[in-house]
Amino acid sequence: MRFALDALFTDVPAEQVDEARDFYKSRAAGRGPSSLEELKEARAKRSAPPAADPPALEETIEAAAARVPVRIFTPVDGPPRGVYLDIHGGGFYMDSAARGDKRNRELADALQLAVVSVDYRLAPEHPWPAAPDDCEAAALWLVEEADARFGTSRLAIGGSSAGATLALATLLRLRDKGAVGRFTGAALQFGTYDLSARTPAGRRIADEYFIQAYVGHVEDRTIPDISPIYGVLRGLPPMLLIVGSTDVLLEDNLALAGRLAAAGNDVELRVYPDSPHGFTGHPTAMARTALSGAESWLRDRITQS
């Protein structure tokens, strides 16, 4: 059997690949804060997130004995046909739900969805399991309240980077509680699925400070709630995995796709050429193509009759 990475590449126009290649040649490679001091400095320097119009409804929901702030968007033209639970990225220690307001407003209107974004607690002030506890609470709230609140019980979930990790951890928790059936799909962008440093993929990021901030107090990081790659992965909704071919997390995503498929799940892996971590947030045609493809995938699963 012959196996080549480029056989997994999503088919995109050659000019998009050339543009991405040129864009990243002229752009310095990024790296997250490497200490608490750098983290505080990075947080202080972050610009205000772009505003959405109409803006989000800010609310605190209650479920699973927890109170969690969320930001809610509903489509401007008619009732929602489904609800998408968005979990933001940022290494478990940066950013907020508001950072995704503009994108979530666009998603709500484009797909005729309600979008609920979770403002989960951040490390190191609130290390694991605070973040997945908050995400689980938001998901359980939707399972219980979506029909009454939004007029639909069709749910989907997604996130990027740390948000993808938390989305998968949330699905595993719901599956174990018998509450995952309402979720018709999960769109996961370049998540990190092994924080234990026990796999080759995990060792590539073992020195990153975000791991210490988030789970530095945990001796065994192979717990699936931390490193979902180690979980029993059967019985999950259809999944779309998006990752760039030059992402440090590529191997992590390849391994997860294999394990999901081996467990009998419906999984689609899309690898975008010459694209690094976080590429869907960059101003390239490749990013727009990836996001448009994710929208189409979600539409097929969450808004079908």
Side-chain angles (χ1 to χ4, degrees):
M1 181 181 72
R2 297 180 61 192
F3 183 82
L5 177 60
D6 58 6
L8 299 175
F9 286 175
T10 298
D11 188 20
V12 294
E15 57 268 24
Q16 291 190 13
V17 180
D18 292 340
E19 182 210 28
R21 191 176 293 130
D22 291 342
F23 176 78
Y24 292 116
K25 278 182 181 177
S26 63
R27 182 178 181 272
R31 185 181 176 88
S34 59
S35 67
L36 179 58
E37 292 70 26
E38 287 188 11
L39 173 61
K40 291 178 178 178
E41 183 179 357
R43 286 174 174 173
K45 287 182 176 179
R46 291 290 272 175
S47 60
D53 183 26
L57 172 66
E58 299 179 51
E59 187 171 325
T60 298
I61 59 94
E62 297 187 28
R67 302 182 77 250
V68 181
V70 297
R71 302 175 72 81
I72 300 173
F73 294 90
T74 52
V76 296
D77 186 19
R81 298 171 63 191
V83 187
Y84 177 70
L85 180 60
D86 174 64
I87 305 179
H88 72 81
F92 309 98
Y93 63 2
M94 283 188 68
D95 279 341
S96 65
R99 184 68 55 183
D101 275 6
K102 192 170 185 298
R103 173 64 186 163
N104 286 334
R105 163 49 61 201
E106 293 169 353
L107 191 65
D109 293 337
L111 298 189
Q112 200 72 18
L113 299 177
V115 179
V116 177
S117 188
V118 190
D119 236 339
Y120 58 85
R121 289 167 290 172
L122 299 177
E125 295 87 351
H126 304 282
W128 178 86
D133 283 352
D134 291 350
C135 295
E136 179 192 12
L140 289 173
W141 177 74
L142 284 178
V143 168
E144 296 165 1
E145 303 293 338
D147 201 10
R149 176 66 182 269
F150 302 110
T152 176
S153 59
R154 296 187 66 82
L155 308 177
I157 190 172
S160 59
S161 196
T165 313
L166 291 169
L168 182 51
T170 297
L171 290 174
L172 292 175
R173 287 185 176 205
L174 296 185
R175 190 273 317 276
D176 292 347
K177 285 181 165 64
V180 80
R182 294 277 187 88
F183 284 83
T184 63
L188 309 182
Q189 299 181 37
F190 36 81
T192 175
Y193 304 111
D194 174 31
L195 302 185
S196 74
R198 294 190 184 183
T199 67
R203 286 193 287 274
R204 297 191 71 188
I205 59 170
D207 63 341
E208 293 282 353
Y209 170 66
F210 80 84
I211 296 177
Q212 183 63 33
Y214 180 53
V215 291
H217 61 296
V218 183
E219 183 175 352
D220 180 8
R221 299 174 195 169
T222 65
I223 298 167
D225 203 49
I226 294 172
S227 298
I229 195 74
Y230 292 100
V232 175
L233 298 181
R234 63 176 177 269
L236 296 172
M239 293 205 185
L240 172 65
L241 304 185
I242 292 173
V243 67
S245 67
T246 61
D247 195 326
V248 68
L249 299 177
L250 172 63
E251 186 177 345
D252 218 355
N253 283 254
L254 294 175
L256 179 66
R259 288 219 60 223
L260 286 168
N265 300 289
D266 176 356
V267 57
E268 181 174 349
L269 173 67
R270 298 182 184 176
V271 180
Y272 287 84
D274 289 277
S275 298
H277 190 68
F279 79 97
T280 55
H282 302 153
T284 66
M286 185 87 73
R288 293 190 292 274
T289 294
L291 290 172
S292 176
E295 286 185 6
S296 296
W297 187 91
L298 279 170
R299 181 184 290 111
D300 289 345
R301 281 148 189 85
I302 198 173
T303 63
Q304 60 188 346
S305 301

